[in-house]
Amino acid sequence: LHKTAYVLFLLFQILGAVILGFGIWILADKTSFIAVLQMSSPSLKTGAYILIGVGALTMLMGFLGCLGAVNEIRCLLGLYFTCLMIILLTQIAAALVIYFQKDTLKDELSNIVVELIEKYDPSNEDKNLQDAWDYVQIQISCCGWTGAKEWEDNRILRNKSNTEYPCSCSNRSKDLVEGRGFCNLEDPVNGTATFADWPVHEQGCMDGVEEWLKDNLGIILGVCTGVAVIELLGMILSISLCKNIHSEDYTKVPKS
C-alpha cells in the first residue's frame, strides 16, 4: 500500500506542475485565441490565477502526503485528504458554473470580438490583441465572429468604402504571407464595396471554435475525468494509510 501511495503522490506532483504550467501559459500566451480572451476578459485572467494557485497547492499537497506516508504522520495525511476534497469540490463547482453560464460566457466573448473588429487598426502600437485575432482567423480559416460582414463596421475600412479587407481573412495564400493589417481589392469596384466583394472565408470564427470544441470534447472530458479519479484515489489511500497507522499504533500498546 505504501508503494502505491508513493507513486500516487508522485503523480500529484506531475499533475500540479501541469495545472500550474497551464495557468502560466494562459497569462503568457500572446499569439492564439487564448490571448484574445485573457487580454479582453478579466474573468479568464482570474481563472488563470486560480489555476496557478490550484497547481501550486496540488504540488504542495503531493509533497505533504508523501511526507506523511513515509513518516506515518496522521495529521499530514488528514490535511492531504481535506485539501484534496476542497480541490475536487472546487473543480466540480467550476464545471457547473461554466455549464450553466455558457450562454452568458458566449455572449461576453461575442461582444469582446465584435468590439475588437470595430476598433482594429494596423497602425496601433499595441498590436498584441490584434495579432492574436489575426492568428485565430488564419488558423481556423474564418473571418469575423459570425461572419465577414462584421468587418464592414470597422472604422478604417468604412472610411475607405470597404475597398480593403483584413488580410488574415483572405482565402489567397499571398495575402497570408503578411497575415495582418488590410489588403487592397485587386478588382475595381464602383462605389462602396461590401464583404461579398472580398476574397475571404465565409465561415465565422464562432462556428470554427464550436467545431474545435466538439472535436476535442472527448479529450477534454477524459482529462477532467482522469484528474478527478486520481484525486479520489488519493483521498481513499490517505484514509487507508491513516487507518493502518492507527491500527499499528494500537497493536504496539503493551497489554496490562
Side-chain angles (χ1 to χ4, degrees):
L1 183 62
H2 280 63
K3 291 182 179 179
T4 305
Y6 301 154
V7 173
L8 192 61
F9 293 140
L10 178 61
L11 288 177
F12 269 95
Q13 291 289 324
I14 298 173
L15 177 63
V18 170
I19 296 174
L20 178 65
F22 186 63
I24 294 174
W25 171 71
I26 290 177
L27 292 177
D29 189 285
K30 302 298 180 185
T31 58
S32 71
F33 188 66
I34 294 295
V36 177
L37 295 179
Q38 70 97 358
M39 294 180 69
S40 303
S41 176
S43 58
L44 187 67
K45 284 187 176 181
T46 302
Y49 288 121
I50 291 175
L51 284 175
I52 292 174
V54 169
L57 180 61
T58 302
M59 293 180 69
L60 176 62
M61 288 302 100
F63 172 76
L64 292 179
C66 186
L67 187 63
V70 171
N71 297 290
E72 297 185 348
I73 304 175
R74 295 186 63 194
C75 63
L76 285 181
L77 291 173
L79 178 62
Y80 177 77
F81 172 84
T82 303
C83 289
L84 276 185
M85 183 173 62
I86 293 173
I87 291 174
L88 183 60
L89 292 176
T90 302
Q91 291 171 343
I92 294 173
L96 291 174
V97 169
I98 292 174
Y99 178 78
F100 289 110
Q101 297 291 324
K102 57 184 178 181
D103 291 334
T104 302
L105 294 173
K106 185 177 180 179
D107 291 340
E108 179 184 355
L109 178 57
S110 177
N111 294 333
I112 290 170
V113 175
V114 169
E115 183 180 2
L116 169 62
I117 290 173
E118 291 177 355
K119 296 181 178 180
Y120 186 99
D121 184 355
S123 63
N124 191 340
E125 294 182 358
D126 185 13
K127 294 183 178 181
N128 288 335
L129 187 56
Q130 295 181 170
D131 288 345
W133 182 243
D134 284 330
Y135 178 86
V136 170
Q137 293 190 138
I138 292 173
Q139 293 299 313
I140 302 181
S141 297
C142 58
C143 192
W145 183 239
T146 58
K149 185 174 176 58
E150 291 170 343
W151 278 99
E152 290 184 348
D153 296 326
N154 178 268
R155 293 173 295 183
I156 296 176
L157 294 180
R158 190 168 59 242
N159 291 336
K160 294 183 178 181
S161 300
N162 291 326
T163 55
E164 294 183 0
Y165 58 92
C167 297
S168 58
C169 281
S170 180
N171 53 26
R172 301 188 300 189
S173 57
K174 65 178 183 179
D175 291 335
L176 298 180
V177 173
E178 174 62 25
R180 59 168 60 90
F182 298 132
C183 296
N184 293 306
L185 277 173
E186 294 181 355
D187 299 326
V189 177
N190 294 327
T192 301
T194 66
F195 75 96
D197 299 310
W198 298 342
V200 298
H201 298 289
E202 296 181 0
Q203 182 191 40
C205 295
M206 178 181 69
D207 295 333
V209 171
E210 290 181 348
E211 288 179 8
W212 180 87
L213 288 174
K214 289 178 182 178
D215 293 340
N216 294 275
L217 185 60
I219 298 175
I220 295 172
L221 291 177
V223 171
C224 293
T225 302
V227 169
V229 169
I230 292 175
E231 290 171 344
L232 285 173
L233 288 175
M235 294 168 65
I236 293 171
L237 277 176
S238 62
I239 292 177
S240 299
L241 287 171
C242 279
K243 289 183 177 180
N244 285 345
I245 293 172
H246 177 72
S247 300
E248 291 175 4
D249 290 343
Y250 183 77
T251 56
K252 294 177 183 177
V253 176
K255 295 181 180 180
S256 56

